[in-house]
Amino acid sequence: GGWRNFPLVDRVRALVGDVPVTLGVDGHCFALGEFWAGAGREVDTLLGIVVSTGVGGGLVVDGKPLIGQSGNAAHIGHVVVDLDGEACECGSFGCVEAYASGPRMVARAKRRGWRADEDVDAAALAADAAAGDELALATFDDGAQALAAGIVATAVTVDLTTVVIGGGVSKAGPILFDPVQAWVKRLAQLPF
């Protein structure tokens, strides 16, 4: 409704013609894209997670996107996974995003002494982890544990079959995915 007159909608229509245009949250769009044409095209239920400067998410349940009344369903970055955890930008504490977003992982690693005086990003943290730096590896493990806890919480809520992770931090590859898989196996103890 309120997006009809949004300038970006007009710019998109100028590019693609007079077709329906809907703006969406990146996590929702990522999940739908993976469901339609990516890793989730053969499943009915999918959680898509975008790990970047924040942690967003989107759900497809029984073949339909779950957007929610406010448009913020599946915002996995703000699932609380540590009741005594770090403060989050949202005002809460212990959120997945407080541990797994690129900037928050870099800040945590710097507080532990990793490249404390350098201007570095999550790509540098991932490169150092791949080279065996123990602080970088431990920081990725913390982020992976938070992601896994959010994934498991979502799985027991909606009975997931598939999870797809994308976003800039996912470029770390096995440095992120291996510990996420290990933590999911550790935390997901119910048979479904």
Side-chain angles (χ1 to χ4, degrees), residues 102 105-129 133-137 139-140:
M105 284 197 298
V106 168
R108 184 174 319 93
K110 285 182 161 210
R111 285 193 308 270
R112 293 173 169 172
W114 175 81
R115 297 193 186 199
D117 296 327
E118 297 179 43
D119 185 20
V120 288
D121 60 9
L125 184 66
D128 282 6
D133 182 290
E134 289 188 28
L135 284 173
L137 284 165
T139 302
F140 263 93

Side-chain angles (χ1 to χ4, degrees), residues 154-173:
T154 305
V156 300
T157 303
V158 297
D159 200 10
L160 286 176
T161 58
T162 305
V163 178
V164 182
I165 300 175
V169 175
S170 72
K171 292 178 183 175

Side-chain angles (χ1 to χ4, degrees), residues 62-120:
D62 294 329
K64 297 177 185 153
L66 180 63
I67 305 299
Q69 290 184 12
S70 69
N72 290 297
H75 204 327
I76 191 170
H78 296 290
V79 171
V80 175
V81 294
D82 184 352
L83 296 177
D84 296 318
E86 293 184 18
C88 183
E89 297 289 327
C90 74
S92 188
F93 52 88
C95 297
V96 170
E97 187 170 300
Y99 296 94
S101 75
R104 294 302 293 268
M105 284 197 298
V106 168
R108 184 174 319 93
K110 285 182 161 210
R111 285 193 308 270
R112 293 173 169 172
W114 175 81
R115 297 193 186 199
D117 296 327
E118 297 179 43
D119 185 20
V120 288

